């Protein structure tokens, strides 16, 4: 999937100013209350979503295999991070610097 297709999917959800290169989400300007990282993104870059005050819930697609340092840090309202079975090794990186709880995606989500 092309970077522009991934950026379009994220902008439909309300993510503004996404910078994506070769499957890595590097940064954004503003994130919505709820965000789903689309399939095709394989890496959440360093501090890519850090400091997003509105973000409360995020679902990580099954295509994400790497989470870099502080990607979700300083998100004071982040309550829930949803991951798929098999992504347990990403939990410590996803929860670093925030108070969110991890839940597992169920069904065909």
């Amino acid at each position: 999937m092309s970077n522009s297709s991934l950026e379009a999917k994220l902008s439909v959800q309300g993510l503004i100013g996404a910078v994506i290169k070769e499957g890595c989400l590097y940064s954004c300007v503003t994130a919505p209350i709820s965000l789903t990282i689309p399939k095709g993104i394989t890496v959440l870059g360093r501090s890519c979503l850090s400091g997003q005050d509105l973000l409360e819930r995020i679902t990580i697609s099954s295509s994400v295999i790497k989470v870099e340092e502080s990607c979700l840090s300083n998100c004071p309202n982040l309550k829930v991070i949803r991951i798929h079975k098999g992504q347990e090794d990403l939990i410590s990186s996803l929860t670093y610097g925030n108070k969110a709880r991890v839940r597992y995606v169920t069904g065909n989500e």
Side-chain angles (χ1 to χ4, degrees):
M1 185 174 291
S2 74
N3 292 335
S4 58
S5 296
L6 292 169
E7 288 170 14
K9 281 188 172 197
L10 287 167
S11 70
V12 165
Q13 295 182 66
L15 187 75
I16 298 170
V19 176
I20 299 169
K21 222 181 217 182
E22 298 176 2
C24 179
L25 175 62
Y26 283 98
S27 64
C28 73
V29 175
T30 304
I33 290 172
S34 181
L35 179 64
T36 298
I37 301 298
K39 288 187 185 225
I41 292 181
T42 57
V43 178
L44 297 179
R46 183 177 182 186
S47 302
C48 66
L49 293 165
S50 180
Q52 296 297 322
D53 293 339
L54 297 178
L55 189 61
E56 293 180 8
R57 297 174 302 281
I58 187 167
T59 300
I60 308 299
S61 77
S62 59
S63 64
V64 174
I65 57 171
K66 182 178 180 184
V67 175
E68 294 182 349
E69 183 181 334
S70 304
C71 86
L72 289 168
S73 65
N74 301 315
C75 296
N77 295 308
L78 185 60
K79 297 176 181 102
V80 176
I81 300 169
R82 298 176 72 217
I83 64 170
H84 295 263
K85 293 283 185 187
Q87 290 180 308
E88 292 83 0
D89 58 329
L90 303 178
I91 292 174
S92 63
S93 297
L94 288 168
T95 57
Y96 178 82
N98 64 62
K99 296 179 182 178
R101 291 185 299 183
V102 172
R103 307 242 189 234
Y104 289 98
V105 173
T106 57
N108 294 329
E109 297 177 74

